[in-house]
Amino acid sequence: MSGEIRGSGRPAPEAANPPIKRLTTGSRELDEILEGGIPENSLNIIMGEPGSGKTTLAEEFVFANADDGRPILYLTTLSEPLDKVLKYLQQFRFFDAAKMGSTVQHDRLGEELAKKGVGALHARLKDAIKTMSPKIIVIDSFKAIHDLAKSTDEMRLMLHEVAGLLAAYNTTVLLVGEYRHEDIATFSEFAVVDGIIELARNALGTRDERYLRVFKLRGSSYRQGFHAFDISPAGVQVYPRLVSPVEATSYKRDAHRAPSGVPGLDAMLAGGFWTGSSTLLAGPTGSGKTTMGIQFILEGLRRGERCLLVNFQENPTQLAYQMAEIGGKLDDDARGRLELLYYSAVELPIDRIVVSIFQALQRGAIRRVVIDALGDLAIAANDPTRMHDYIYALVQHFAVRGVSSLLTLETDPPIMASDASHGRLSHMTDNIVFLEIREKDGTVVRTLRIAKARGIAHDLQPRELKIEAGGLRVGKGRS
Amino acid sequence: MGTEAEPREKGKAIILVIDRDPHIRELEVHFLDQAGYTVAFEEDGNVALAQARKIVPDIIITEILVPKLDGLSLCRELKADPRTRDIAVLVFSILAAASRAREAGADAFLLKPLAEHTLVGTVRQLLEARGARIRRAQDER
């Protein structure tokens, strides 16, 4: 083509399917869920009940994209008064007063709509496009415009005109609205838009859980399901639902062992668990699960590995005391390689706990992980399926990264020990070790039994387990 | 139904826009008019071809998906006719068809949606290239 003329803003691609450019939402995690952000030149709905965070999300998106280029137009209609929106907007750290009025322009449309009818929106948008070339347009609330329409036909016609205009021009649009689920089937804007993001809030016990869900994202894949989020002065913090790694887990273990640190147990395993394998350690209260978890971590530290201990009951001080009781005082080097995550399962939803574990995994070259205990994690989950999905995904991520993991499970009281859930958990891990407390010759003893050890010719016999000053020790004789 | 171009003002380029989307048409006409060009538009390829032969605009901006005669066929017809071959053709389409546009003889291709700075910038470059071509041809004569 003569001169090879190409536009600077929209290069002419040769490929049949040119890549869609994305605009950041202001949240790296939400961008991940949307596979890179909101597609440029798309029309999107942000829906949710009042107070669900729609306006915060929309404003964060606006300020994240407010550069010195084309301006952004934020139109309020008939829901919240503009002054109120602006008053609370200033509380967020993403707010930038220097951008207000120039790059970010807020304007009222409510009065004009009330006076001239819903057709005023099309005229206002056309005027904005011709006079200010907006990069982004937000209409908050779009749903409220329905209340001004004289008929469904009038609303539908206006929507047709507006959608046509916005599709013709290089701008990205958010329609914010207090839509309910039943509106999706009845309001025609849901059929017209390219993307739908729902914000929801569910009561769970004494706390509220906020969830975000992508319903639709035309021309793009996205991470499905419910993603937890919360709102802080920093804006919207999203905790993407953890899914299994894209890379498949290989059953081919590396040739190294990850000794347990429990004298006698490694002999039953012909040297220890395989490095990168996962172990479910199940047993009743007082059977020694936490102690064995600590020994597993201490063994890793002795070997110069970075270790992560996730705990829901003992705070870091209590844990440090227990560790010192078992393994002596840790030197500075070992302390530097140990990461402790302590959570109250009653206060935090499972999404945030799991995301924190995953982030710790990404931060350092962790080689061993202990999660003590899965039952506490179950308390933080609002449904067992969600809990199992998360554990499965975590175990897969551990395996792909070659991290040896040990997950403890309380069997008394059986928080998760129904046959179904226990069975499902058993299939997720490479190894299963049962600790039991039983009566033998009039004496109560602890026993250990290896039910499964993938790829290891393990000793199947139950053995007596003794608790000594240095922790657990597996006896030589059969129990 | 299209619009007649106003009589050619001295030094003011004439652009013929062919697109069936009224929003695109209106915005294109607005931004090109604002940039100082005389703009006419048509909605179908056949009428546009006849109009092009009649008024010989400086530039034709056409969508590929237009009724009666598609934008690429229109481009081929224009480039095959000595009366219209000097008209610069900009294919401006929703289809990512830069290669097909080039094969049809188009001078430039832009992908929708409309970004006015890109559109006006491309038109400006096409006019400069066309002017230089015509001057060269006159010098050779």
Side-chain angles (χ1 to χ4, degrees), chain A residues 245-261:
Chain A
V246 178
E247 186 187 341
T249 309
S250 167
Y251 280 111
K252 194 180 161 198
R253 304 281 168 209
D254 66 24
H256 301 288
R257 300 279 183 153
S260 66

Side-chain angles (χ1 to χ4, degrees), chain A residues 1-18 41 70 122 126 129-133 160-171, chain B residues 21 23-24 26-27 30-31 34 92 94 96-103 105-118 121-123 125-126 129 133:
Chain A
M1 237 173 287
S2 83
E4 286 299 315
I5 294 168
R6 286 170 184 235
S8 56
R10 299 276 299 173
E14 296 290 330
N17 296 306
N41 193 230
R70 294 161 57 204
H122 182 246
K126 197 155 65 176
I129 288 171
K130 287 180 178 178
T131 57
M132 66 179 282
S133 309
H160 176 75
E161 286 293 307
V162 165
L165 175 70
L166 295 174
Y169 186 68
N170 183 24
T171 190
Chain B
D21 182 333
H23 302 290
I24 283 278
E26 181 180 345
L27 294 176
H30 169 79
F31 289 121
Q34 208 176 40
F92 180 39
I94 195 72
S99 303
R100 287 167 61 210
R102 185 191 293 122
E103 283 161 19
D107 299 86
F109 174 87
L110 285 177
L111 188 65
K112 284 181 182 174
L114 191 151
E116 68 268 36
H117 298 299
T118 309
T122 305
V123 163
Q125 290 178 56
L126 283 174
R133 230 176 19 245

Side-chain angles (χ1 to χ4, degrees), chain B residues 58-124:
Chain B
D58 297 275
I59 297 186
I60 280 183
I61 303 177
T62 183
E63 165 61 271
I64 293 173
L65 304 171
V66 287
K68 310 274 174 71
L69 181 69
D70 71 80
L72 296 180
S73 301
L74 169 66
C75 183
R76 285 189 205 98
E77 294 273 358
L78 291 168
K79 294 297 178 184
D81 184 341
R83 287 172 296 169
T84 55
R85 73 161 59 122
D86 286 336
I87 300 172
V89 178
L90 165 58
V91 174
F92 180 39
S93 180
I94 195 72
L95 302 177
S99 303
R100 287 167 61 210
R102 185 191 293 122
E103 283 161 19
D107 299 86
F109 174 87
L110 285 177
L111 188 65
K112 284 181 182 174
L114 191 151
E116 68 268 36
H117 298 299
T118 309
L119 178 72
V120 171
T122 305
V123 163
R124 202 165 285 145

